[in-house]
Amino acid sequence: MPTVSVKRDLLFRALGRTYTDEEFDELCFEFGLELDEITSEKEIISKEQGNEKAEGASDVVLYKIDVPANRYDLLCLEGLVRGLQVFKERIKAPVYKRVTPNGEIQKLIITEETARIRPYAVAAVLRNIKFTKDRYDSFIELQEKLHQNICRKRALVAIGTHDLDTLSGPFTYTAKRPSDIKFKPLNKTKEYTACELMNIYKTDNHLKHYLHIIENKPLFPVIYDSNGVVLSMPPIINGNHSKITVNTRNVFIECTGTDFTKAKIVLDVIVTMFSEYCENPFMVEAAEVVFPNGKSYIFPELAYRKEIVRADLINKKVGIRETPENIAKLLTRMHLKSEVIGDGNQIEIEIPPTRADVIHACDIVEDAAIAYGYNNIQMALPKTYTIANQFPLNKLTELLRYDMAAAGFTEALTFALCSQEDIADKLGLDISATKAVHISNPKTAEFQVARTTLLPGLLKTIAANRKMPLPLKLFEISDIVVKDSSRDVGARNYRHLCAVYYNKNPGFEIIHGLLDRIMQLLNVPPGEKKGGYVIKASEGSPRTSPAVLVSLLFLILPAWSSGIKKKKKKKKEGRKEEKKEKDKPYRTLNLIFTA
Amino acid sequence: MIIEAELRSTKRWELTAEGEEIAREGSHEARVFRSIPPEGLAQSELMRLPSGKVGFSKAMSNKWIRVDKSAADGPRVFRVVDSVEDEVQRRLQLVQGGQAEKLGEKERSELRKRKLLTEVTLKTYWVSKGSAFSTSISKQETELSPEMISSGSWRDRPFKPYNFLAHGVLPDSGHLHPLLKVRTQFRQIFLEMGFTEMPTDNFIESSFWNFDALFQPQQHPARDQHDTFFLRDPAEALQLPMDYVHRVKRTHSQGGYGSQGYKYNWKLEEARKNLLRTHTTSASARALYRLAQKKPFTPAKYFSIDRVFRNETLDATHLAEFHQIEGVVADHGLTLGHLMGVLREFFTKLGITQLRFKPAYNPYTEPSMEVFSYHQGLRKWVEVGNSGIFRPEMLLPMGLPENVSVIAWGLSLERPTMIKYGINNIRELVGHKVNLQMVYDSPLCRLDAEPGPPRTQGTA
C-alpha cells in the first residue's frame, strides 16, 4: 500500500478547515485511507540518522497517509483534497478537458527502433501552469509515487517532464546504441555517453535500481527535440537542458513504456492532478503521438466512460435499501457523477479519467457502500444451510496429535523450508536422491528447498534445547514436499509423522514402543498376516556404519489410502532410526540405526 | 507434643589462649619492659625475645621505653620509667576471676580487638514434659496404608499434616504446540459454524491458481521475485485446465463478464510458473472451481488453515512462512451485510466483540473491507482480518452462476496466537528455536474466555 506524505497545515488549508488528529483519522478510515503516522522531516531524519543530522531540518507536521494500491488519483495532496472535498460534498468533481492548441500541436514521433525495447509513448502539455515550491515538490513526488507503484519501478512506464520553453518540437522517440547517445543528464555539468552514465549510476542509490531495465539491450531508448537536444533517456534519466523549475510555465510530459494501457493511465493521472494550477484549470493541451506504422493518436485520452447499473443490484450486493436517487448521490460523492435514468431504477454513472480502478460494476457497488458507510450497513446472517465436513487427512492428524501427546511426546512446529544441506548432506544423502523441489530465488540458504523429511526440523529443535532436562521426546505431524510428475504442478505434499527420543541412553525400545502404540491406535495389528505390520532389518543405510537397519512392513489398510505417509525417527548422539513408506501392496518404514 | 523445650541462651566473656598467657605472664609490653636492664639492650637482641615485636611497639606507644639510634653498636633500647602498671594483665585477670562486668565496654572491646578476649554464647534448652507426654515413642505417619485401615490402627496413629505451600510433582506428559492448539480452536469454530474444510495439502502451486485465477494481473507487485518464492525445479506446472485458462486469459487481456479487463498481453508462460503458494486463496480458487463444475449449483461454506510462503524481509513479526486462516461462503444473493454478519459471529467466538470495518483494496475482492477490533491493552483499533466479495472476473470464468456471490475473509494464525500468549517475537513461537519450556508451560487455548490472571508460578 503506497504511503503519501503531506504537510498537515497545507492539507487543512486546501480542505478549508482544520481537524484534530483523531477527527482526521476518522475521516480517513471512513474513506478507506489510513492515517499511518504523524511526524515531521526533523523527526524522520533524527530517527534514521540521529539527532545531530536532524539539526535545522523542518519540523512542519507531516501526515503519512496509506492509500489503496489501485487509487492512483489519491497519490498526491491535490488528489487527496479533491477526493475528500467531493466526498464531503464541499465541491463538485471537476471536469477534465483536453484542448487543441490554437497554434501548432506538439508532436512526438516514435521510430521503429523502439519496438524491441520500449515501444509505447504518450504525451501532453500543461500550458501556463503556476508552480509554487509546495506545488512543484508535490509534482515531483507524484511522479515518484507513480513510478514506484503503477509503473512497477519504471519497468512498465517511465515519466519525463520538461520545460517546453527550452525545447522545440517535433520530438523524436527513438532507440540508439548506448555509445551513440551523449548528453548532459539532470543535475550534471558535463556531457556523458549512455555507457558512461550506466557506470556512474551504478553507485547512485536512487537510480541504480532502474539500470537493469535496459542494461543489456543493444539499443537504449532516447527522446530528442528538433535540434537534437536530449529530453530524456527513459527509464533512467532526463536531460538537464529541459529541467523544470518552480518558474517553469509550460510543461511537456512524456510517458514511455512497455504497457500502453498503464502509460495512458499514468499520463491521465498527472495531467488531471496538476492542470488544477493551469491558467485554465483542468484544461490540458493535447499532444500528438505518431506511431511507427504511421498512425497518429491524440493524448491525453481523458476518456469519460458511462456505465449503467440498476439501483436494486447495488442494494442487493451491499445489503441496503436506498432509493435510486440516494444511490446516485452516494456515487457522486465518490467522484462518480451519477443520475437516475430510464425506468427510474437505472443509474447512469460517469467514470472519470481519474478512476482507472473502476473496471466493473462491482467497483461501483463498493463505492456506493463506502459512501453509505460500511459501518452503517445492517449486518445479517446468510441463510446458507450446509453440513460441515473435516478434510479426512486433517481429521486423522488431529486425532493422532492428541494421542501422541498422551503418549508423553511433545509437539514441535518446524519450518517447511530449509537448506539443501539439511535434507541431504547432513543425513548422508545425495540431494538428487531426495526428489526435493528447489526454490529459484531464495534470499538465504534457509530457503533453498522444501523439506522432504521432518527429521532435520526435530533435530534442530533438540539442538536448540540442549539445556532442557532429559529425556526430550518430540513429534511433529506435518507436510513434506517431493516432486511428482503425476500432479498438475509436478510436486505434491505428503503428511508425515516423525518422532524423536533423545536421552543419555539409547532407549530404542521407547521409540519402538511409540511405533507399536501408533499402530495400535491405527488399529494395525502386529504380525505378517494381512493388514498387519512387522519390523525387519533392511539394507543400504544412508548413515555411517556400523549400522543396524530395521524395516517395518506395514500392510496396507483401506483407511490409509488417503496418501498418508508415516515416518518415525529417533536420534540419540549418533543413533538414528527412520521409517519410510513404500508403494503398495504394503508400506515400508525404515528404522535406521547408527551406533 | 511429647516434650517441650525452651531455649535459654547466656553470654559470657572468656580469655583466648593468648589472653590466658598474658594473665599468667604479663602483657608483651610489660615483659619487654622487664627484660631491659638499666644499661639498656640492643634493639636487635630485644626483637629476638618471644614478646619482642608486639611488646616493643606497645611499650613505645605507652612511652615506657626509648630507642637510642646513635649507640656505637646499633640502636639500643632504654627504660624511660622506673616501673610500670600492667593494666592489660590486671584486666584479663579480672575476667579470669569472673568479674568481666567490672570492665567498661570500651576496655572489653579493646581486649577483644587484640584477640585476648572472646564473647561466648551458650545455648541451653530447658526440657519439660509436653501436653502429649508419653514414654512410648511412635513416628508420625505420612501415608495411610491398607494395613492401618484393616487393623483400625489409623484411629490412634498420628498423621503428618500436608504442606500445601510446596509445589506438587508435575506429571510426566506430552504437550501440544501452542500455535497448533489455537489452530484446533479455529477449526472448531469453523466446524461449529457449518464450514467444510478445504484440502490445502499442496504447498506448491502454479502462478495460474495462485494469481491469474484470482484476477491478479501478471504485472502485480505480489508476483515480483522480491515477494514470492518461485521454483527452479519443477519450474513450471505440467497441466492447466486449458478451457478455463482461456477464459481467464480473455478476462485479463480483453475483459468480459461486464469487465473492462486489465488490457495487457497475458502470457501463458507467466501462468505456468510454479511457486510456493503465497496464500491459501489459491486452494479456495481450486475449491470454487470444483464447486462451479457441479451442476446444479449447491451453496457451500468452506474454510482452511494452512501454511503460506512469502519471500519477505524477516523481522520480529514476519517469517518466510506462516499460517493463513480463510473462510468462504458461496450462495445466491450474498451481500456485504452478510459478510459483516458472518464476521461478527466468527469474531464473537474468538472473544472479539467490538468490530468496525474499513474500506480496503484487494486485487481479487470488490467490495473489500479490513476488519478492525478495539484492543483494550493498546487502547486503539487494530486490524484483525481482511475480507471481501470475490470479483465477478474471478468467479464467472470458473463457471459459477452469475447471481452467486462468494464472500470471504482471512487472517493469520500467528498474530492472534501471539496476542493470546503475550509473545512479541514470532521466533519464540514458531520454528526449531522455540524454547520447549514455553511449549510445556502453555495453558489451554480458550479463545472466547477472558484472559486469565498473570501466572504466578515460575517455570519449573
PDB file of all heavy atoms in Angstrom, chain B residues 105 207 243 261 327:
ATOM      1  N   GLU B 105      32.755  -1.201  78.650  1.00  0.00           N
ATOM      2  CA  GLU B 105      32.501  -1.713  77.292  1.00  0.00           C
ATOM      3  C   GLU B 105      33.696  -1.469  76.398  1.00  0.00           C
ATOM      4  O   GLU B 105      34.120  -2.326  75.627  1.00  0.00           O
ATOM      5  CB  GLU B 105      31.242  -1.015  76.726  1.00  0.00           C
ATOM      6  CG  GLU B 105      30.800  -1.499  75.360  1.00  0.00           C
ATOM      7  CD  GLU B 105      30.394  -2.975  75.372  1.00  0.00           C
ATOM      8  OE1 GLU B 105      29.819  -3.442  76.400  1.00  0.00           O
ATOM      9  OE2 GLU B 105      30.668  -3.644  74.372  1.00  0.00           O
ATOM     10  N   SER B 207       1.467 -20.323 -10.780  1.00  0.00           N
ATOM     11  CA  SER B 207       1.073 -18.911 -10.753  1.00  0.00           C
ATOM     12  C   SER B 207      -0.381 -18.778 -11.173  1.00  0.00           C
ATOM     13  O   SER B 207      -1.086 -17.885 -10.735  1.00  0.00           O
ATOM     14  CB  SER B 207       1.950 -18.087 -11.691  1.00  0.00           C
ATOM     15  OG  SER B 207       3.260 -18.033 -11.221  1.00  0.00           O
ATOM     16  N   ASP B 243      -9.369 -24.913 -21.024  1.00  0.00           N
ATOM     17  CA  ASP B 243     -10.605 -24.176 -21.339  1.00  0.00           C
ATOM     18  C   ASP B 243     -10.765 -22.990 -20.425  1.00  0.00           C
ATOM     19  O   ASP B 243     -11.017 -21.866 -20.847  1.00  0.00           O
ATOM     20  CB  ASP B 243     -11.808 -25.109 -21.107  1.00  0.00           C
ATOM     21  CG  ASP B 243     -12.257 -25.730 -22.408  1.00  0.00           C
ATOM     22  OD1 ASP B 243     -11.445 -25.666 -23.364  1.00  0.00           O
ATOM     23  OD2 ASP B 243     -13.393 -26.246 -22.448  1.00  0.00           O
ATOM     24  N   GLY B 261     -11.526  -5.450 -18.060  1.00  0.00           N
ATOM     25  CA  GLY B 261     -10.267  -6.197 -18.074  1.00  0.00           C
ATOM     26  C   GLY B 261      -9.100  -5.280 -17.777  1.00  0.00           C
ATOM     27  O   GLY B 261      -9.275  -4.088 -17.534  1.00  0.00           O
ATOM     28  N   GLY B 327     -11.964 -18.190   5.401  1.00  0.00           N
ATOM     29  CA  GLY B 327     -13.346 -18.650   5.374  1.00  0.00           C
ATOM     30  C   GLY B 327     -14.020 -18.149   4.107  1.00  0.00           C
ATOM     31  O   GLY B 327     -13.761 -17.034   3.666  1.00  0.00           O
TER      32      GLY B 327
END
